[in-house]
Amino acid sequence: MILISNPYQKYKENSINTASKEEITLMLYDGCIKFMNLAKIGIQEKNIQKANENLIKAQNIITELDSTLNMDVEISKNFHMLYDFALSRLIDANIKKKEEFVDGLERRMERGYDYSKERSTMNAFQKLTDITKNKLSLSKDLLDLTLNMEDYVEKEDFDAFTELIDKRQNIIDDISLLDE
């Protein structure tokens, strides 16, 4: 029997498998907010199973977010308190089936999402800055090497000239790697 896989499911799996840590964190926040909204709908519809399933999914995501915190970083302690509070509110929402327990959490999780997105953007900007600095440094090395090559040609030191050509090619290769 041949199993036909769902292309959307494959796309989702690839998105997760190739995502950066920051992107996964944003996906978790998105999922948590989505499940909290679905839980509220379940509560409004008096669909206890729907509310329960989605509240548990949101709790699982918050537990995952909490487990990834680096407690040596001060902001992580604040996020830990947020996640602890969110878990207790979701448990209360599940026990009492009252959507008001979820209402304030959505806004808090959206702020966590915004913070993570901003941090992700800052990290990407820092990486770009580092790459640019490396390119500038390599370009300077390339210029210095090119100027030295002229000296070796004038002195007819072809062994040193050949060595400089190899170094020059290595620098060009390193610059090309930074472009990828």
Side-chain angles (χ1 to χ4, degrees), residues 28-46:
L28 288 170
Y29 274 111
D30 276 339
C32 187
I33 293 165
K34 173 184 138 189
F35 293 130
M36 286 191 291
N37 283 322
L38 290 172
K40 280 176 52 177
I41 292 168
I43 292 169
Q44 292 165 358
E45 295 171 348
K46 306 244 186 275

Side-chain angles (χ1 to χ4, degrees), residues 129-144:
T129 302
D130 291 345
I131 288 171
T132 303
K133 285 179 182 176
N134 286 338
K135 278 181 155 181
L136 285 172
S137 175
L138 288 170
S139 295
K140 181 189 175 301
D141 292 347
L142 187 60
L143 179 62
D144 290 344

Side-chain angles (χ1 to χ4, degrees), residues 5-64:
S5 61
N6 179 342
Y8 177 70
Q9 186 63 30
K10 276 196 174 267
Y11 171 77
K12 277 177 44 178
E13 287 175 17
N14 278 342
S15 294
I16 292 168
N17 290 336
T18 59
S20 68
K21 180 181 174 187
E22 292 88 1
E23 291 168 327
I24 289 173
T25 300
L26 294 174
M27 287 179 203
L28 288 170
Y29 274 111
D30 276 339
C32 187
I33 293 165
K34 173 184 138 189
F35 293 130
M36 286 191 291
N37 283 322
L38 290 172
K40 280 176 52 177
I41 292 168
I43 292 169
Q44 292 165 358
E45 295 171 348
K46 306 244 186 275
N47 184 336
I48 293 173
Q49 182 177 352
K50 180 178 183 177
N52 179 59
E53 288 173 359
N54 287 293
L55 287 166
I56 288 173
K57 287 177 183 179
Q59 289 172 38
N60 289 340
I61 289 172
I62 290 172
T63 300
E64 180 62 28

Side-chain angles (χ1 to χ4, degrees), residues 143-175:
L143 179 62
D144 290 344
L145 208 55
T146 303
L147 294 173
N148 286 335
M149 290 171 81
E150 292 175 9
D151 292 341
Y152 288 112
V153 169
E154 287 175 11
K155 295 177 188 174
E156 295 185 8
D157 188 349
F158 297 110
D159 290 336
F161 180 76
T162 303
E163 187 178 311
L164 287 178
I165 288 176
D166 291 341
K167 285 182 184 178
R168 182 175 183 266
Q169 188 58 49
N170 289 338
I171 292 172
I172 291 170
D173 291 345
D174 288 345
I175 291 173

